[in-house]
Amino acid sequence: RNLQTLLTLVAFAVLFLAQGFVKTALPREEFGGVVRHVSDGDTLLLKGVAAPIRLWGVDAPELGGPGGSASAEFLKSLVKGRSLACKEMDIDRYQRIVARCLIADTGEEVNALMIDEGGADEYVRYTGGYYLWRHLARPDKAP
């Protein structure tokens, strides 16, 4: 038990120190729409929004690689045909809108669901461990 607590504290310290070197962004524009297409496990299209939406902090396997189809199908099961409310975090090099998106009728964050439910990994390089911290802070997950 003491070792587990020590390892948890070390993990927190490492993530805290790493955050200084991680590219993070503050939310900019808010927008929304109904999902019309899921391209892969971390990219989707909304009706009325021209640019593709890249889910911030979500690192899904590539479609042609191992787990890629399963990740895309999982995202599709979460959002296809549903209305999302999104906050732009950045624009990536492919001109996609990088965003955090909530399912409008439930308030659940799509990005977190993809990571928490195993549909994708957290892209810690950009999040600084945001989702890991959030997960560890939940009372039911305390060491």
Side-chain angles (χ1 to χ4, degrees), residues 77-79 82-85 101-113:
S77 75
L78 293 174
V79 302
R82 296 180 86 176
S83 183
L84 301 183
C101 296
L102 302 178
I103 300 170
D105 60 344
T106 67
E108 295 176 288
E109 185 183 348
V110 176
N111 312 48
L113 289 170

Side-chain angles (χ1 to χ4, degrees), residues 111-124:
N111 312 48
L113 289 170
M114 285 298 293
I115 294 164
D116 292 348
E117 302 297 324
D121 293 323
E122 180 175 1
Y123 211 151
V124 177

Side-chain angles (χ1 to χ4, degrees), residues 23 43 52-54 90-98:
K23 180 185 178 198
T43 308
I53 311 304
R54 169 71 161 83
D90 202 357
I91 302 291
D92 73 8
R93 65 182 175 195
Y94 304 109
Q95 299 305 302
R96 296 178 297 189
I97 300 169
V98 181

Side-chain angles (χ1 to χ4, degrees), residues 34-38 44-51 79-82:
V34 174
V35 176
R36 65 179 169 96
H37 179 73
V38 171
L44 52 89
L45 299 170
L46 297 178
K47 291 179 184 173
V49 179
V79 302
K80 185 72 172 155
R82 296 180 86 176

Side-chain angles (χ1 to χ4, degrees), residues 5-17 132-133 136:
T5 302
L6 178 62
L7 290 174
T8 300
L9 290 173
V10 168
F12 279 138
V14 168
L15 286 172
F16 179 77
L17 293 173
L132 175 62
W133 283 94
L136 291 174

